[in-house]
Amino acid sequence: MSDLKKPARSLAGIAGLVAIATLISKVFGLVRQQAIAAAFGVGPAFDAYNYAYVIPGFLLILLGGINGPFHSAIVSVLAKRKPEEAAPLVETITTLVGGLLLIVTGVLVLFAEPLMGLVAPGLNISAAEAAAQGLSSPEFETLQLTHAIAIQQFRIMAPLAVLAGLIGIGFGALNAADQYWIPSISPLFSSVALIGALGVFILQAGKDIGLPEYAMTGGMVLAWGTLAGAVLQWLVQVVTQWRSGLGTLRLRFEFNRPGVKEVMKVMGPATFSSGMLQINVYTDLFFASYIPQAAAALGYAGLLVQTPLGIVSNMLLVPLLPVFSRLADPNDWPQLKQRIRQGLMLTGLTMLPLGAFTIALSVAIVRVIYERGAFDQAASAFVAPMLMAYGIGMFVYLGRDVLVRVFYALGDGDTPFRVSLVNIVLNAVLDFFMVRAFGAPGLVLATVGVNIISMLALLILLDRKLNGLPLAEWSKPIALLTGASAVAGVVSWVILQGCDRFFEGTGLLIYLVELGLSSLGGFLVFAAIVTQIELPEVDIFVQRIRQRFGR
């Protein structure tokens, strides 16, 4: 019997399962990034990897990610089909999509060099251009080496295009069959494969791992480890898929089968719309390619921010977002407005203090997480300002996502899409000016600026769509939470400075103690202030924490 016949789990149970799996996957992702930092620091191997991964990674995130277009399309169609129709439909979609993505893979391999020129034009500049930009000879040579490594990495990782489609289809099929653990935990296996490859490389290279002659070899290890990880992630899903009666690797060319056109109808526009968000990532890396080590720093800082964002998003907002859809009728809009407020307040309650701590403790955080091996104090000093810039925008990043989901629940995908189009142009303009004013951290500040403008635009448009929102009323608690977070951030920074003078030493243990004391002090101050504000969302937040981690 197909798993599609099983009764649906409760929303809270699904959210809890996904949250736990996401937490485990994020932890392993962080360990993977620590291994990369220890092996390569901000050197050319990892710098090149960030450029080479742009297009393959774009496809992997876009097509193979949770809530991606492939996942959403498969779930929406299979949920309305009989269980016996699942396997033939999945096999047909896999055949069609797999064939198209094989062609894409071939194009990526053949045109690797010109494509890398589009992604990172700053890596392939002439000696005269380098001199005009004020780059030294070692910096120019590093750019050339980074460019050569990136091209080879790009060719190795090109098959991620096919794997992305297969993972996304499998993800959707399993979710439609009420299976959430394996799809949500499967990114862990990708991290494990890359960690294993890095471990072997570190053992073989030993103390010489930081030498320039090991940069090319290290770059290849990163690329092959990433590809092996994607293969392993797909294999883990596909075995469960077979056991659930959701299709095998059989080629099926029944493209006129009912449901195929329905899947493609959903998949096409959703892929195009979701891709708009990834174009901003490309824009940032386009400008970063003119700054040595900037791409590596963006990667390290970005992961530190995306880890808590992903966990909080799943733990707090996943149970709330489906409620938006049930309140889409105009008669239910008063309740919908209350739920929108709830989502924004929960986001502010978590992201504002977390952002403040990130800003205040950025250097200590980077040192504790990354500073070992090839990742030295100079690398920490380069990455920490990026992390500070990310901390400024944590609230608007997640708040904007809440508002986008409301538009989707109302059946309006055009408005977020139009806002995304404007954001692409705005991001490029801000990147140009912010990089000139602030250097590499300006790339992040430009993204923060785009997210702020985007969130404000969505609020105004949603205010019109729902015949008015109590924006003035909502702004007061957000302002109070912002003030409380700022005070807590200052307190944590003062404690950190005091710890530095008291301990008068360096080392992981000392950094951990300092970070722990500073974070605890700031959190206690924030909690003391928030309890005086008397927000109902505070009680909701505490209840969610108890539900996830036990009473």
Side-chain angles (χ1 to χ4, degrees):
M1 181 179 69
S2 171
D3 285 357
L4 287 173
K5 291 184 178 180
K6 291 182 179 180
R9 300 176 183 175
S10 69
L11 180 62
I14 292 171
L17 194 66
V18 173
I20 293 171
T22 302
L23 175 61
I24 295 173
S25 295
K26 293 290 185 182
V27 168
F28 272 83
L30 183 59
V31 173
R32 176 198 66 212
Q33 206 75 352
Q34 288 178 313
I36 293 174
F40 306 111
V42 290
F46 185 58
D47 207 28
Y49 177 81
N50 282 277
Y51 297 112
Y53 190 70
V54 168
I55 295 177
F58 162 77
L59 293 172
L60 190 60
I61 294 170
L62 177 67
L63 306 182
I66 185 172
N67 292 326
F70 280 28
H71 166 248
S72 301
I74 294 294
V75 170
S76 63
V77 174
L78 285 185
K80 296 179 286 188
R81 299 279 166 180
K82 297 179 181 178
E84 56 269 21
E85 296 182 47
L89 180 57
V90 170
E91 289 171 353
T92 302
I93 294 297
T94 300
T95 302
L96 176 59
V97 171
L100 293 174
L101 291 177
L102 273 174
I103 297 174
V104 172
T105 298
V107 171
L108 295 181
V109 172
L110 288 174
F111 297 97
E113 189 165 350
L115 286 172
M116 283 309 305
L118 290 174
V119 171
L123 298 181
N124 194 29
I125 60 176
S126 65
E129 290 172 323
Q133 294 177 23
L135 298 178
S136 64
S137 294
E139 288 177 328
F140 174 60
E141 292 173 1
T142 298
L143 286 178
Q144 288 186 310
L145 177 59
T146 304
H147 181 251
I149 295 172
I151 292 173
Q152 296 303 317
Q153 290 175 325
F154 185 85
R155 288 195 173 106
I156 293 170
M157 293 189 291
L160 288 177
V162 177
L163 291 166
L166 298 178
I167 290 170
I169 292 170
F171 206 157
L174 289 171
N175 280 183
D178 201 31
Q179 296 202 36
Y180 297 89
W181 176 256
I182 288 297
S184 299
I185 201 71
S186 61
L188 175 151
F189 298 98
S190 181
S191 296
V192 168
L194 185 52
I195 291 170
L198 288 172
V200 173
F201 175 64
I202 292 172
L203 288 175
Q204 290 184 343
K207 296 181 179 179
D208 297 330
I209 194 171
L211 297 178
E213 51 265 34
Y214 278 95
M216 179 63 78
T217 304
M220 299 307 99
V221 170
L222 280 172
W224 283 112
T226 301
L227 180 61
V231 172
L232 184 58
Q233 181 180 352
W234 170 65
L235 288 176
V236 168
Q237 288 190 3
V238 81
V239 170
T240 306
Q241 192 176 328
W242 292 346
R243 292 175 177 174
S244 302
L246 296 170
T248 64
L249 293 181
R250 173 185 175 182
L251 295 178
R252 193 184 288 267
F253 299 93
E254 301 170 1
F255 300 142
N256 291 323
R257 171 177 287 276
V260 173
K261 292 183 179 180
E262 188 177 351
V263 169
M264 300 307 295
K265 183 179 179 180
V266 175
M267 193 179 290
T271 300
F272 188 72
S273 180
S274 300
M276 294 297 101
L277 297 176
Q278 297 299 321
I279 293 176
N280 285 328
V281 176
Y282 160 71
T283 305
D284 290 342
L285 288 173
F286 177 92
F287 287 95
S289 67
Y290 294 94
I291 307 173
Q293 303 176 336
L298 282 170
Y300 289 127
L303 179 72
L304 290 179
V305 172
Q306 288 299 327
T307 297
L309 277 172
I311 294 171
V312 171
S313 175
N314 281 322
M315 186 174 68
L316 296 180
L317 299 182
V318 165
L320 183 64
L321 297 182
V323 178
F324 293 156
S325 297
R326 295 197 292 267
L327 300 174
D329 188 274
N331 294 325
D332 296 323
W333 282 0
Q335 295 182 54
L336 176 61
K337 294 174 185 180
Q338 293 177 4
R339 292 296 189 174
I340 296 171
R341 173 206 150 95
Q342 189 179 99
L344 292 176
M345 296 305 151
L346 286 172
T347 300
L349 188 62
T350 52
M351 291 294 102
L352 286 171
L354 196 57
F357 295 150
T358 300
I359 295 169
L361 308 175
S362 59
V363 175
I365 293 171
V366 172
R367 283 179 171 175
V368 167
I369 300 299
Y370 292 131
E371 198 172 286
R372 55 189 59 84
F375 199 103
D376 54 17
Q377 289 187 2
S380 293
F382 191 68
V383 173
M386 301 276 205
L387 184 59
M388 291 178 65
Y390 272 119
I392 296 172
M394 292 179 73
F395 166 68
V396 290
Y397 181 93
L398 201 55
R400 182 208 58 192
D401 191 52
V402 173
L403 298 177
V404 168
R405 301 293 176 178
V406 177
F407 277 99
Y408 287 159
L410 294 171
D412 181 3
D414 291 337
T415 298
F417 177 70
R418 288 197 298 268
V419 172
S420 296
L421 286 177
V422 175
N423 285 347
I424 292 172
V425 178
L426 182 61
N427 188 56
V429 173
L430 289 180
D431 273 339
F432 179 79
F433 289 105
M434 289 292 191
V435 168
R436 289 172 177 264
F438 301 102
L443 295 168
V444 183
L445 292 174
T447 301
V448 173
V450 168
N451 287 337
I452 291 173
I453 294 172
S454 174
M455 184 174 176
L456 291 175
L458 290 171
L459 273 173
I460 293 171
L461 293 170
L462 195 59
D463 174 68
R464 296 175 181 174
K465 194 174 189 68
L466 296 179
N467 300 326
L469 292 173
L471 297 179
E473 178 186 332
W474 293 356
S475 63
K476 182 178 178 180
I478 292 295
L480 291 173
L481 288 174
T482 302
S485 300
V487 172
V490 170
V491 169
S492 63
W493 182 83
V494 171
I495 294 175
L496 179 63
Q497 301 310 306
C499 289
D500 281 339
R501 289 192 292 270
F502 179 79
F503 290 108
E504 295 182 350
T506 59
L508 179 60
L509 181 59
I510 291 177
Y511 292 150
L512 276 172
V513 171
E514 292 180 347
L515 186 59
L517 291 175
S518 304
S519 302
L520 179 61
F523 171 76
L524 291 176
V525 169
F526 178 77
I529 297 175
V530 166
T531 54
Q532 302 303 312
I533 300 177
E534 298 182 353
L535 278 177
E537 286 77 16
V538 173
D539 295 331
I540 296 173
F541 175 73
V542 173
Q543 292 173 4
R544 295 272 171 86
I545 294 295
R546 287 176 176 174
Q547 289 174 358
R548 299 295 173 264
F549 301 105
R551 297 178 182 269

